[in-house]
Structure formats: C-alpha cells, structure tokens
Amino acid sequence: MKTLQFLVIGKNQEILETLKRIIENNEGWKAEIQSNESVCYDYIKDNQVDIVLLSSGLEDQFERDIKRFCEESDQDVKVIDHYGGGSGLLKNEVYSLFPDLQP
C-alpha cells in the first residue's frame, strides 16, 4: 500500500486536529498539521508531501501562493481545498487524485 503524506494547513486548531485524526484513521496515511503559513513552504521543500490540504481560515492570497508553489515544485504535490463535508468527502477527494488507491 502506498503511504500518503499530508500537510494540513488551516487556522482552527480543533479542525486541524480532527482532520489529522480522520486522515490517520486510514492505513498508510500520515498528516502534519500547520497553522503558521510562513513555515509551510520550507516544510514542503524539506519533506515528502503528497497532498497539501487547505482547511478553513486561510487568506485567499496565501491559498493562491501555496497552490502555485506546489505546482512549481519538483515534487508532485497535489492540493485539495477542503472546507468540511466529513470523512467520506475527504476520501473521495483523495481517491480522485490517486484513483489507484481506491479499495
């Protein structure tokens, strides 16, 4: 099974912790959570990240900048705009990016 590494970025710590728990309930999925946008760029550069998950509370400019950064990086980093909807929606968003992982 392929391991997926997530970087979950948002401003609400409770939501970030919930997303981390939901993500890590899936075998092979690991999540790092971050509310400080300025460290996200270095984290992506220095770590293997498969998915950047954008949660609530982020400024529009940061969202545009981090998406551009991921597109231009040497890694194949996917970005998901996730603003709620439960674990089923999150799984569908991930499986749409990685269809080979669908059970």
Side-chain angles (χ1 to χ4, degrees):
M1 159 151 299
K2 176 178 172 55
T3 300
L4 288 180
Q5 301 292 335
F6 291 73
L7 175 60
V8 184
I9 310 168
K11 290 298 184 181
N12 184 305
Q13 192 64 31
E14 187 176 329
I15 292 173
L16 291 176
E17 290 170 8
T18 299
L19 286 169
K20 179 178 175 69
R21 188 172 56 254
I22 290 170
I23 289 167
E24 292 186 346
N25 276 338
N26 294 279
E27 184 179 342
W29 293 12
K30 303 292 180 199
E32 178 71 28
I33 57 176
Q34 187 55 252
S35 60
N36 182 346
E37 294 107 328
S38 63
V39 301
C40 294
Y41 299 98
D42 286 334
Y43 185 86
I44 293 167
K45 282 192 280 188
D46 297 339
N47 296 276
Q48 173 59 41
V49 175
D50 298 299
I51 297 174
V52 170
L53 188 78
L54 301 177
S55 185
S56 61
L58 300 170
E59 297 290 328
D60 290 341
Q61 186 61 53
F62 171 75
E63 289 189 12
R64 286 190 296 274
D65 291 345
I66 197 74
K67 287 175 183 178
R68 187 175 326 108
F69 180 81
C70 290
E71 288 173 5
E72 295 172 355
S73 77
D74 292 337
Q75 301 179 41
D76 185 21
V77 181
K78 312 280 192 230
V79 179
I80 296 175
D81 294 306
H82 183 79
Y83 303 110
S87 60
L89 176 61
L90 178 59
K91 284 183 181 181
N92 285 334
E93 291 169 333
V94 172
Y95 291 146
S96 72
L97 296 174
F98 296 94
D100 56 308
L101 296 180
Q102 289 187 18

